Each structure stands twice: as structure tokens, then as C-alpha cells.
Amino acid sequence: MANVTVIGAQWGDEGKGKIVDWLASRADAVVRFQGGHNAGHTLVVGDEVYKLSLLPSGIVTGTLSIIGNGVVLDPWALKAEVEKLSAQGVEINDDNFAIADNCPLILPIHRELDGLREAAAGAGKIGTTGRGIGPAYEDKVGRRAIRVCDLAHLDALEPQLDRLCAHHDALRAGFGEPPVDRAALIEALKEIAPYVLQFAQPVWKRLKKVRKAGARILFEGAQGVLLDVDHGTYPFVTSSNTVSGTAASGSGLGPSATGFVLGIVKAYTTRVGSGPFPTELDDDDGQKLGERGHEFGTVTGRKRRCGWFDAVLVRQSCAISGVTGIALTKLDVLDGFDVVKVCTGYRLRGKILDYFPSHAADQAEVEAIYEEMEGWRETTAGARSWADLPAQAIKYIQRVQELIETPVALVSTSPEREDTILVRDPFQD
């Protein structure tokens, strides 16, 4: 049986939650390997709706769920999310949930710095969620982070606090803010430490044991490839690598363990926050996509920008992340359009491009080149086989996979777990 790595192949919000939930019911372990609680997943199981930001989606099914070392962890957000899910009847304990003990922590000072920077950025705003993700990753690579394992040794934290505060106090002074209140920070950490430490362990060992037993592991990515700090629409990106290769470094298992790479792709395109968007629609079609797709961020509640499917971007994402097959989601949102469009290339100052350029100025200036296709009046909502789909919808799917040079493995036709057409089983690959 193959392991499966799930990533978003656009700007996030592709419907990963439902697909991961569907796959998690067939997996033995689910691992979050990057990002933080800025990634929202919505799961619909029967009449119950679960909104996750940090916990792996497998937790709802009782599957072993692990937060890997590549994640930055806000311990207070974790506690709040666990309590919320527990109130919905989800059982979470140290048997089915684990946190990497070398996972960096998001602290209150990270959230404060995030907000201060964004407020002062003016026209340079990135559109951060303000949850401290970026500053926490900065402290990680700056070798001044406080990690989960440090919560068991708070009496020995002074040298690390010296490094941390030397950096943050200078930044805070620049914003006219007082120095870090070290005593208050230590007290907050002492209060939350026992809660976090009950789940903490060297998860690479546990995953090694799971893999050795022949069990199936599902690696769950957050955001999308176009938000990758290296390969995305920089600087309008997240602060971590969102590509599939991060599953290895962010979990403690080697690259050979990551298996089938499933790219989640929405049947149209959306993004939240600032940054380039070649196929964005500011007309009735864009409004219709947003309303029918309920395009509001799970975490922020911000309205998502909407546009036609961009095959150039998705093809690039699939190549960069080594995608084996895609899961096409929200096909039903396109029901009823007389014409649907797909971006097949860009025009930039008289040149035709078959890729998305790296420089922000070029990205902002490219003009989408469209191919038009006949739409379909019939509904695709709830379809569970090819026979349930209108002929034009099937033609659309076939054209998408041709243009992105990657086969379709799954088609999702509603938020419900079972409304999924299985073309190729990732776990059997």
C-alpha cells in the first residue's frame, strides 16, 4: 500500500479538508507537516460541520493524527481547537494525537509583531492572517525559537529568552512598543505547558514504527503551492514551503516515505489577500462563483477573490511538487454557466508565456489567454460516478487534465464525504 501526500496546487482553499477527511478514513495515520493555525479546513460529515485550523483532518475519524516538526504551534490555539472539537463529540487523547517535541512555538509576541508589521506596511501589505506564523518561522531559522520540548525545562529557559528578547525588544522599540514582558511570558508558558506536554513525543519514532508495520500514512499539507515561500507569488506567500517535498523534512520521515502526491485543484481559481491573480473576475461571473462556492476563508472569514481556472499555474504547481494525480473539487459550482473559460497561457508585453514569471511586476502585468468551452445546464452536485456527470462536464475535466499534464485521480462534487468519483486510488498506486 502506498502512502499519500496531499497538497494544494493553487493558492489554498482548494477543498483539501474534505479530500483529506475522505482519505483519512482509509489511512492509519495523518500527519500535518508545515504551516500553522492559519490554514482552515472544513469537514462535512453527515449533519456535522467541523472547522479545523491546526489539528490534522484525520482526528475527526479517530485516525492517529500527528503534528510534525515542520508546523509552528500556537499552544493556546491548540487547546481552544481541541476543546471545541471535544464539545462536538470528537475524542482526542494521547493515543490518537501526538505533537513533535521539536516543534517550534508561536508565542504572544509573534502575534503582536505580525500585527505591528502589517499595520505599518502601507501599500506593501502582504495580507497575513495576523496569527504570528511568519515571525515564529523567522525565530526558528534564527535559532532563537522556544520549542515544545522546552516546555519541560522552563527553569533553564533564560539563555534562550536572552536571544529571543534581544531580537524582539529591538523590533518592538522600532514600533514604539515596550520590551517583552519576560515574567508574563514565562507564567503563560508554565500554565499551558502541562496541556501540551501530554501529547509531546519524538514523533519520527512513532511514524517509523507505523511505517515498519506496513500501515498507510497520509501527509497533510496546508495552504497551496502558489503560496510556497520559494515557488509561490513572492512576496505574497506564506512563510513555509508548501510543496510535497516538505512532507519528508516536516515529519521526520525520509523522501521515500511520501508516496503518491495528490494535488488538490479547484475547478476554478480563488485566492485570499493581496497578490497577483491573472484570471480574477470583477464581474457577474466572479460574483456568481463566489456566492455559489461560499468563498469565505475558514480561518479569517475574508471574502475570496474568484476567477476562471488557470491551467498554466496548476501545471507549474504540479511540476514543481511532483504531483502524481489531482483531485478536482467544487465542480458543481460551475453548473449552469453557458460558457466556462480556462486560461491556457499569458501575454506579457507582446510575448506569449507558458509559465508564470517570478518577478512581482511581471506577475501583475500578465494578461490571461483563454480557451472557451461550452458549459452545462445539468447538475453535477452529488455525482458519484462518470455516468452521473453531464457530457460537457466530462469534456471539461478531460481538457483540464490535458492542459495541466497531470491525470485526474478524484473528482469531488459536493462537500459531503461520499460525493466523490474515484478514478485512481492513491493508496493502491
Side-chain angles (χ1 to χ4, degrees):
M1 297 291 184
N3 295 331
V4 178
T5 298
V6 174
I7 58 162
Q10 292 160 305
W11 277 296
D13 307 313
E14 302 95 348
K16 291 185 293 296
K18 178 226 169 137
I19 299 299
V20 171
D21 173 58
W22 188 83
L23 291 167
S25 64
R26 306 166 66 230
D28 301 293
V30 182
V31 187
R32 269 286 306 272
F33 58 83
Q34 50 77 219
H37 63 305
N38 56 340
H41 290 171
T42 300
L43 312 182
V44 180
V45 183
D47 295 329
E48 198 71 49
V49 177
Y50 303 94
K51 293 184 180 292
L52 309 180
S53 297
L54 183 59
L55 292 168
S57 299
I59 199 71
V60 172
T61 60
T63 306
L64 172 61
S65 297
I66 290 174
I67 291 179
N69 58 276
V71 173
V72 284
L73 178 80
D74 184 322
W76 298 276
L78 169 74
K79 187 172 186 289
E81 190 167 320
V82 169
E83 289 174 347
K84 181 180 177 182
L85 285 179
S86 297
Q88 290 183 272
V90 178
E91 186 176 350
I92 301 172
N93 51 52
D94 57 5
D95 285 329
N96 65 6
F97 178 54
I99 302 170
D101 57 1
N102 54 343
C103 189
L105 297 178
I106 299 174
L107 305 172
I109 57 174
H110 295 133
R111 295 194 297 270
E112 293 168 12
L113 180 59
D114 211 352
L116 290 168
R117 282 176 170 169
E118 194 74 350
K125 281 187 178 181
I126 292 173
T128 171
T129 59
R131 282 162 169 73
I133 311 296
Y137 272 118
E138 289 176 39
D139 282 348
K140 173 184 176 178
V141 298
R143 295 168 295 180
R144 54 184 172 264
I146 295 174
R147 303 187 299 171
V148 169
C149 55
D150 294 319
L151 295 175
H153 302 275
L154 291 176
D155 291 340
L157 202 61
E158 287 301 321
Q160 285 168 269
L161 278 179
D162 289 341
R163 289 196 300 273
L164 184 71
C165 293
H167 177 77
H168 280 268
D169 286 349
L171 291 174
R172 293 170 68 89
F175 288 110
E177 295 293 318
V180 174
D181 187 336
R182 293 170 63 139
L185 178 58
I186 286 289
E187 282 305 308
L189 290 173
K190 283 182 178 178
E191 184 178 346
I192 198 68
Y195 185 84
V196 177
L197 289 172
Q198 67 179 314
F199 303 115
Q201 59 183 270
V203 298
W204 66 268
K205 287 190 67 177
R206 190 161 184 180
L207 286 170
K208 180 183 177 183
K209 184 177 180 181
V210 168
R211 190 183 179 205
K212 191 173 182 180
R216 292 176 289 198
I217 302 172
L218 179 63
F219 298 91
E220 178 182 3
Q223 291 96 29
V225 174
L226 297 176
L227 292 173
D228 184 276
V229 70
D230 288 315
H231 301 289
T233 49
Y234 192 92
F236 304 101
V237 293
T238 193
S239 298
S240 62
N241 286 111
T242 59
V243 293
S244 62
T246 315
S249 60
S251 66
L253 285 176
S256 62
T258 54
F260 188 107
V261 179
L262 183 67
I264 313 301
V265 177
K266 194 179 286 185
Y268 49 102
T269 311
T270 63
R271 83 170 297 174
V272 172
S274 306
F277 189 168
T279 66
E280 184 172 10
L281 297 171
D282 293 318
D283 57 12
D284 290 343
D285 285 339
Q287 183 73 14
K288 186 176 178 180
L289 288 172
E291 290 175 356
R292 297 191 62 184
H294 306 291
E295 296 297 349
F296 295 90
T298 302
V299 171
T300 63
R302 289 183 293 181
K303 183 179 179 181
R304 297 176 187 139
R305 300 153 64 191
C306 298
W308 295 118
F309 185 82
D310 192 328
V312 183
L313 284 175
V314 175
R315 181 172 64 239
Q316 191 162 318
S317 292
C318 289
I320 288 168
S321 217
V323 172
T324 315
I326 68 163
L328 190 67
T329 67
K330 290 201 166 185
L331 181 65
D332 55 304
V333 174
L334 296 181
D335 293 352
F337 281 89
D338 294 326
V339 173
V340 290
K341 297 182 182 181
V342 177
C343 174
T344 59
Y346 305 125
R347 189 175 287 105
L348 177 63
R349 294 187 287 275
K351 288 186 176 181
I352 304 299
L353 301 182
D354 62 354
Y355 67 96
F356 200 50
S358 296
H359 197 277
D362 293 337
Q363 292 175 350
E365 197 173 334
V366 295
E367 177 187 351
I369 299 170
Y370 289 110
E371 177 180 307
E372 294 189 358
M373 298 183 65
E374 182 183 346
W376 54 91
R377 307 303 301 179
E378 308 93 323
T379 182
T380 63
R384 299 184 181 183
S385 71
W386 287 118
D388 297 332
L389 294 177
Q392 287 304 129
I394 294 174
K395 287 181 181 179
Y396 181 79
I397 296 168
Q398 291 172 337
R399 185 57 178 148
V400 163
Q401 65 181 357
E402 288 172 4
L403 289 169
I404 67 174
E405 299 173 1
T406 308
V408 170
L410 300 166
V411 179
S412 171
T413 58
S414 92
E416 295 290 340
R417 180 191 291 171
E418 300 306 320
D419 290 342
T420 304
I421 300 170
L422 178 62
V423 182
R424 181 181 180 187
D425 189 341
F427 279 125
Q428 296 293 339
D429 195 76

